Amino acid sequence: MEHTRRLMRAAAAFGRLAPAIGPEAFRRLLDAEPRFRHMFGGSKTKLRDDFMGALTSALIARADVGRFPTSTIRQLEDVARENRKFGVAPRDYPTLGEHLLDVFAERLPPGLDSSMRVAALRGALDEVLTLLADTAEAAERAEGPATYTGRVLEVQRRTRHIAVIRVHCPDPIPFTVGQHIPIRSPLAPGIWRDYSPALPPNPEGLLEFHIRIVDGGAESRPLVVASRPGDEWTFGTPRGRLGQVLDAYRARRYDGPPTGRHHLPEAAPRDILMVAGGTGLAPLRALIMEAADLPSPPPIHLVYGARTPGELYDLRTMVGLANNLPNLTLSTAVEKRIDEPLTNPGPFSSHPAAPMPRLGVAADVAARIHRPGELAGKTVLIAGRGEMIDVTRERLVEAGADPRFIHHDPVAKTTVAREARFPVLG
């Protein structure tokens, strides 16, 4: 019991000191291991912050419940797979762990039990780092290469800020629909950015990415403005589980008469509501295409939102899908009905059969088009920028959606920020 209390105090102290421990421990690692100095490029800060956030969550969860919850294990496994693209080897984790412990011991306020807290933290930290190293070793054996290479085939500038870029990978990347893939381009050396393919996996190795320029985007701007056919991109390990929602619909349902006295009716599958903000359309479009090939495609209602009509950059494609897929219903939402100067709708932002866009953000439109109580029976998928995901989730829960059936991937940035300070233990 005393050990548990000591570990909880040590984990809490580590969480409070993490913003100072991370930079100093990584600096010492780079000084001690010259091969690391140019390994991470412009992604060094993001890698460090992601690692420290996952580590803090894991240590506090271990102290609080005496084990690593499933969600924590998955987060750590994702971190280990993500680090492979940088060249991080399983043997590197114990080295980093020693630097983390050294800095923790130096920054911990002196007290009667300071050395005991360090000792207690060492055991939990060893467990975390062992899990990371084991996952990395297993990935090397089972998942093939850490990176893949593709070549840009076509670049379509759909709006001033959005480009659709098609890429061919001679060795197809093993990913599942809805996942996001880290991309590194020669236009932004050393910087990795996650994007979700807008096409389902296919044996031809064809990928399509919808990329928007974001404020301060060190990679998004060069990709949109300067990408050209022939550019060579490098891809890391795919991550995310959004596509698992379709697993419940993959088996053909039995529609014949009951065959036994105690036959229980099969539960009806839930309809799916998709809410896309801007280029968040990409993974949801891929899921719609994948669902179309299922034996019993689920009814899907897509709410496709943008700031103005001209930014509905893939409306033509979505109207074509809605006209040909009986299970798909399309609604559009815009925050303003008038486009800004020089941003009038292009050929892909309009269609003669397109539904009239409703005024409002996608979350509000999705709530308004459902009758009271109707959202409770829906499975909800949300894709967009972090802030949009948070707002949409909260709005739909207020409107009656069951939070157990709301899915989004990756986790919203604001949620990640909260978890870094106050880690989720469940």
Side-chain angles (χ1 to χ4, degrees), residues 14-275:
F14 186 90
R16 290 193 302 271
L17 297 171
I21 292 174
E24 177 62 19
F26 271 73
R27 184 191 66 78
R28 296 184 185 186
L29 177 68
L30 297 181
D31 288 343
E33 301 285 344
R35 67 187 179 88
F36 282 115
R37 293 177 185 174
H38 305 290
M39 184 182 292
F40 306 114
S43 300
K44 180 165 52 183
T45 300
K46 181 180 185 301
L47 171 67
R48 182 193 70 210
D49 293 345
D50 289 350
F51 182 84
M52 293 302 295
L55 188 61
T56 300
S57 297
L59 290 173
I60 292 181
R62 174 66 177 82
D64 186 66
V65 299
R67 59 180 175 80
F68 297 124
T70 301
S71 59
T72 300
I73 293 174
R74 287 179 176 176
Q75 184 183 21
L76 293 173
E77 290 174 343
D78 284 345
V79 168
R81 293 189 179 96
E82 175 79 357
N83 289 347
R84 292 181 66 218
K85 69 175 184 283
F86 296 105
V88 177
R91 67 179 184 277
D92 295 323
Y93 289 105
T95 304
L96 177 58
E98 290 302 320
H99 291 300
L100 289 168
L101 276 174
D102 289 344
V103 178
F104 175 68
E106 294 169 7
R107 300 298 175 95
L108 193 65
L112 295 177
D113 65 344
S114 294
S115 59
M116 295 181 180
R117 290 193 195 186
V118 174
L121 190 72
R122 178 183 291 276
L125 186 60
D126 285 346
E127 291 182 42
V128 175
L129 297 175
T130 298
L131 192 155
L132 289 168
D134 290 348
T135 298
E137 289 180 354
E140 289 180 1
R141 294 192 301 266
E143 298 180 8
T147 60
Y148 292 80
T149 301
R151 194 169 297 277
V152 174
L153 297 178
E154 181 183 11
V155 180
Q156 294 181 354
R157 192 74 177 271
R158 296 285 179 90
T159 73
R160 290 179 62 187
H161 304 288
I162 298 175
V164 170
I165 303 179
R166 297 187 173 118
V167 183
H168 174 244
C169 291
D171 297 319
I173 302 172
F175 72 99
T176 58
V177 65
Q179 286 190 307
H180 46 281
I181 304 176
I183 295 174
R184 187 184 68 202
S185 161
L187 298 172
I191 297 177
W192 294 83
R193 182 79 181 270
D194 290 344
Y195 294 100
S196 296
L199 294 174
N202 56 85
E204 292 80 13
L206 296 176
L207 301 168
E208 179 176 302
F209 297 97
H210 300 174
I211 302 176
R212 180 189 183 92
I213 297 174
V214 298
D215 295 338
E219 180 171 328
S220 61
R221 181 173 293 278
L223 288 180
V224 171
V225 174
S227 290
R228 297 290 183 271
D231 289 353
E232 189 174 271
W233 288 7
T234 303
F235 301 92
T237 302
R239 294 180 296 136
R241 300 175 178 85
L242 191 64
Q244 291 181 356
V245 170
L246 293 183
D247 291 347
Y249 307 92
R250 294 189 187 280
R252 183 180 295 276
R253 292 170 54 80
Y254 177 71
D255 296 324
T259 57
R261 292 178 56 194
H262 304 292
H263 172 80
L264 295 176
E266 184 178 355
R270 300 170 67 90
D271 293 358
I272 295 178
L273 169 65
M274 296 183 174
V275 185

Side-chain angles (χ1 to χ4, degrees), residues 346-371:
F348 286 93
S349 300
S350 59
H351 191 287
M356 176 67 70
R358 298 168 185 259
L359 191 61
V361 298
D364 289 337
V365 170
R368 293 203 310 263
I369 61 179
H370 289 88
R371 296 187 298 271

Side-chain angles (χ1 to χ4, degrees), residues 352-398:
M356 176 67 70
R358 298 168 185 259
L359 191 61
V361 298
D364 289 337
V365 170
R368 293 203 310 263
I369 61 179
H370 289 88
R371 296 187 298 271
E374 193 175 10
L375 279 172
K378 300 273 189 176
T379 292
V380 181
L381 306 184
I382 310 171
R385 298 184 66 180
E387 300 82 358
M388 176 269 179
I389 293 176
D390 275 347
V391 170
T392 302
R393 180 185 179 88
E394 292 172 3
R395 178 69 180 91
L396 294 182
V397 169
E398 291 174 359

